[in-house]
Amino acid sequence: MTDQTHTIAYHPLDAITVSTMNPRQQDDHDPDQIDALAMSIAMVGLMQPLACYLPDTGAPEVVEGGRRLAALRLLRSKGSDIADAMEPDWDAIPCTVTRDQDQAQAWAGAAAASHVPLAPAQEIRAYAAMRELGKEPEQIASAFGVDPLRVKRRLKLADLAEPTLDALATGHITLDVARALTIAPNGAREVDVLNIAIEKRWGAHSVRQELEKNVVTGTDRRAIFVGLAAYEAAGGTHTPDLFGDKQILHDADLLDRLFKNKLIAHAETIRGDWMWSQAVFDHPWVSAGDTAEYDHVHRTPGDLSDADQDEYVRLSELANGDVLDEPGQATLADLQTRLDGDWTADEYATCGIFVFVDRDGQVRWDGAWRTRARTPTADPATSHDDTAHKVEAKATPQNAVEDFRRIELAAAQTALLGKHDLLLSLLAYQIETGLRNWQAPLNVSLSPPIIEPEKDTGLTLDGRLMPDTTDDRNAPSVEDFNAFVAKGPKHRNATLTNALARCLSSQTTSQFQKDLIATLNIDVRKIWTPDAANCFKRLPIETLDQMWGALVPTDKAEMLDPPFSSMNKGKKAAELEKLFGNAGYRETLGLSRAENAAIDAWVPAEMQGDA
């Protein structure tokens, strides 16, 4: 049987040799890799002792760690150019030694045994220092025994501000939060949000939400349509999202102005023979709200001869089978155009089109549309008023149309001033009925923050906080609104209370909100019971040990076999789940009323203090 006895001993570097049991001898090492490993030792020290067999002669022989031994020898011979280098004590190299040859042989066969990992901040700084010395990611990866992709991802974080890396090193933020901070437009904004994140105990999602206020991504249809070059030329700034393969544009207002101006100009350009063209800004389609005052005018269908109709059918079948050649595709397109037909000259003269940008940033138009109150222009050949067509054909400029609509809206808003009950009822009505933006009378957008966790076991949400997902709602109408008002102020106020409570923000940093929430006497455990899946398996094992020690007195935990301290993380999480969710188990442990109350009141540190 193999003797498992081994100790840590310190030996001079010159006394250490490579054992014949070591599967990798000195000649097997890549010189570039050894050079990179020497630099990593200079920067962060020797993270793992050499595994050595100690024969009767007393001279240690390395059975695992030959590359580190070669790097130590190289580092001593040439020194290091790295500032604050951690040069080892050459007379006291740490070695894990055994006198048992079978044990040594087992170590030699386990050359891929786990190494002591660097903390993320240490890893980032170490990789960055080696990059500054001209090392490629592949060389750095070889020196640290990690995947090159891991090195490349860590190097993306190397340009974060020092306070961010310090916060990562001290555990005030997670690696995911650090990744989210890379989209900050500058170092000052990064540090501002860092401080808020630490104070509010934000996760990566909250950090991204804060940094993406008033910003859009390069995949936004407006950004594609305007183009990054035009956005930059107008003074806009953007930065890459290093972990999302996209650009973050930091001035949404500027982009919106550029988008609207370009689309207005584009709408006028493609207007052609139409009487008017109108740009649609708010959505990547033409909505029912846009066309509410218009009648849809369809093309006059075309007609194909029998021969052309037969050809159309033949070519369509080939196209459906993906075997139609380019000349055939051109012929089919021509036949389709003839079959679709066209509008009449009179319809061109009295109708218009809506121009919009689709989700892919491409300009589209939809038509034809005629204002409902408008009548077709008389045929110039029979009309005695030869000025009518000229007057009707000249469209009002788009910017003037926008101004007229704004003035009309201002007049309507003025009429509502002082009508408190009507406005409250309108707001509650559109919340309860779930009106779309284009249907809603009030331009109020409620964006409830996410409260459903990824792990939702143990959570019981009040039904009033859950959205109504039914699809059988009535279409909005004055009659339906009057029926809502008839339910009385109590129903209206309940609707508003539920909706506004659901919109309590998790993002504000104001002292006012902190003080306000403090008055609510929040009890998380009323709606949530921690269990293995939603909590315990996600906490560090040290935290689980601390929890058990704080919640279960030592004398009452003696019944456990094996003891809690010797369990692996999964078993500790399961044991805590029983403690929190099984009253019979607590009774078996003989817990007092006060000890039970402490368990029933426990919440993670992240749920304590400020909300």
Side-chain angles (χ1 to χ4, degrees):
M1 181 175 179
T2 301
D3 182 1
Q4 300 293 322
T5 303
H6 58 270
T7 59
I8 296 292
Y10 296 87
H11 295 272
L13 180 62
D14 289 337
I16 303 172
T17 61
V18 178
S19 170
T20 57
M21 290 184 280
N22 194 310
R24 291 189 293 188
Q25 296 298 306
Q26 187 74 22
D27 294 339
D28 297 336
H29 303 319
D30 184 322
D32 289 337
Q33 293 182 0
I34 298 302
D35 184 57
L37 181 55
M39 282 192 290
S40 76
I41 293 174
M43 284 184 290
V44 299
L46 185 63
M47 303 300 294
Q48 184 181 18
L50 305 176
C52 298
Y53 170 56
L54 195 64
D56 294 338
T57 60
E61 300 175 0
V62 174
V63 295
E64 196 281 310
R67 292 174 68 251
R68 277 168 281 149
L69 176 62
L72 286 168
R73 291 171 174 170
L74 178 63
L75 180 60
R76 186 180 64 172
S77 65
K78 75 170 190 177
S80 172
D81 296 329
I82 299 172
D84 301 323
M86 301 178 63
E87 186 174 281
D89 182 346
W90 304 117
D91 293 324
I93 300 300
C95 302
T96 301
V97 298
T98 181
R99 292 186 179 276
D100 182 80
Q101 192 169 10
D102 290 338
Q103 177 67 64
Q105 188 66 60
W107 286 351
S114 60
H115 293 264
V116 178
L118 289 171
Q122 292 176 313
E123 196 176 3
I124 292 164
R125 284 172 165 146
Y127 295 170
M130 293 187 72
R131 181 180 63 181
E132 290 175 3
L133 293 173
K135 296 300 179 183
E136 296 296 327
E138 290 73 18
Q139 293 174 298
I140 300 173
S142 177
F144 284 84
V146 297
D147 187 270
L149 181 59
R150 178 186 181 90
V151 174
K152 292 174 183 177
R153 287 174 174 169
R154 289 292 192 265
L155 287 174
K156 289 181 178 181
L157 297 167
D159 294 326
L160 286 169
E162 280 300 312
T164 300
L165 292 178
D166 290 340
L168 180 62
T170 55
H172 285 93
I173 62 171
T174 65
L175 189 59
D176 285 339
V177 169
R179 291 190 183 110
L181 285 168
T182 61
I183 69 173
N186 51 60
R189 176 65 172 151
E190 175 193 327
V191 173
D192 286 343
V193 176
L194 166 69
N195 292 332
I196 297 172
I198 294 173
E199 179 186 357
K200 299 290 294 178
R201 302 187 183 96
W202 278 354
H205 176 74
S206 298
V207 169
R208 282 187 174 276
Q209 282 190 324
E210 177 67 22
L211 287 171
E212 290 178 358
K213 287 180 180 178
N214 200 38
V215 302
V216 293
T217 68
T219 58
D220 186 282
R221 65 189 183 96
R222 295 170 297 168
I224 297 172
F225 178 61
V226 171
L228 284 179
Y231 171 77
E232 288 178 347
T237 59
H238 62 92
T239 54
D241 180 352
L242 299 177
F243 296 91
D245 294 327
K246 60 186 178 182
Q247 292 289 327
I248 301 296
L249 282 65
H250 299 289
D251 195 336
D253 292 337
L254 171 62
L255 177 65
D256 202 53
R257 288 196 303 272
L258 295 173
F259 172 75
K260 289 180 177 179
N261 290 339
K262 183 174 181 179
L263 186 55
I264 289 172
H266 222 81
E268 187 62 28
T269 299
I270 66 176
R271 172 184 158 193
D273 294 332
W274 294 109
M275 179 183 178
W276 53 266
S277 62
Q278 181 172 317
V280 176
F281 304 124
D282 296 335
H283 29 252
W285 60 78
V286 177
S287 71
D290 296 319
T291 61
E293 299 177 0
Y294 298 86
D295 290 322
H296 199 183
V297 179
H298 298 279
R299 292 180 175 92
T300 301
D303 191 20
L304 297 178
S305 67
D306 290 344
D308 285 343
Q309 182 66 36
D310 291 341
E311 180 68 356
Y312 175 80
V313 171
R314 185 184 73 83
L315 294 176
S316 296
E317 291 175 350
L318 292 174
N320 291 335
D322 292 328
V323 292
L324 186 60
D325 57 19
E326 289 189 8
Q329 292 174 11
T331 301
L332 179 60
D334 178 63
L335 291 171
Q336 185 67 59
T337 299
R338 289 164 53 192
L339 187 61
D340 289 342
D342 200 357
W343 292 272
T344 66
D346 182 68
E347 287 166 342
Y348 275 105
T350 60
C351 298
I353 58 174
F354 289 96
V355 182
F356 61 98
V357 174
D358 67 15
R359 297 183 188 277
D360 297 323
Q362 302 301 308
V363 177
R364 309 291 184 196
W365 64 271
D366 185 74
W369 296 91
R370 178 186 288 134
T371 304
R372 195 158 288 140
R374 191 184 306 280
T375 56
T377 305
D379 187 340
T382 60
S383 173
H384 297 289
D385 182 4
D386 58 4
T387 65
H389 176 74
K390 296 178 181 178
V391 172
E392 288 291 324
K394 190 172 181 63
T396 303
Q398 181 74 24
N399 56 358
V401 172
E402 289 295 320
D403 280 351
F404 298 157
R405 290 177 175 172
R406 291 172 183 174
I407 294 168
E408 182 183 28
L409 178 61
Q413 291 178 356
T414 303
L416 281 172
L417 295 175
K419 298 184 183 296
H420 310 299
D421 284 339
L422 175 60
L423 286 169
L424 288 175
S425 295
L426 281 173
L427 176 60
Y429 172 69
Q430 73 183 52
I431 290 173
E432 182 179 76
T433 55
L435 299 185
R436 305 293 192 271
N437 288 342
W438 58 269
Q439 295 175 309
L442 300 178
N443 186 21
V444 176
S445 176
L446 300 181
S447 300
I450 297 172
I451 59 173
E452 299 91 342
E454 292 181 8
K455 306 288 186 181
D456 59 0
T457 59
L459 179 66
T460 304
L461 289 176
D462 192 306
R464 291 171 295 179
L465 295 178
M466 304 305 292
D468 183 1
T469 57
T470 57
D471 294 327
D472 57 351
R473 297 167 174 162
N474 295 327
S477 65
V478 172
E479 291 78 11
D480 192 47
F481 173 62
N482 289 337
F484 173 82
V485 173
K487 295 179 182 178
K490 184 176 181 180
H491 177 76
R492 178 196 68 191
N493 294 345
T495 300
L496 289 172
T497 299
N498 296 343
L500 295 177
R502 183 63 180 83
C503 289
L504 179 67
S505 174
S506 63
Q507 306 305 317
T508 182
T509 60
S510 71
Q511 186 62 43
F512 166 68
Q513 173 152 329
K514 296 177 185 177
D515 295 340
L516 175 64
I517 290 179
T519 67
L520 299 178
N521 297 319
I522 296 173
D523 185 355
V524 174
R525 292 295 300 277
K526 281 187 176 181
I527 67 167
W528 180 70
T529 300
D531 59 27
N534 69 26
C535 181
F536 306 133
K537 286 184 178 180
R538 308 167 85 180
L539 298 177
I541 194 169
E542 296 81 7
T543 302
L544 302 185
D545 291 335
Q546 293 168 5
M547 284 177 58
W548 184 265
L551 297 174
V552 182
T554 303
D555 60 324
K556 296 178 180 179
E558 291 177 348
M559 61 170 290
L560 290 183
D561 185 20
F564 188 86
S565 60
S566 65
M567 295 179 183
N568 61 32
K569 185 175 180 178
K571 290 184 177 179
K572 289 182 178 182
E575 205 70 29
L576 283 167
E577 180 172 300
K578 286 198 298 182
L579 182 69
F580 275 71
N582 189 328
Y585 181 63
R586 295 193 203 177
E587 186 176 348
T588 301
L589 292 175
L591 300 183
S592 68
R593 179 176 299 178
E595 290 160 352
N596 275 286
I599 294 171
D600 292 336
W602 181 91
V603 293
E606 291 77 9
M607 293 182 181
Q608 301 169 10
D610 296 340

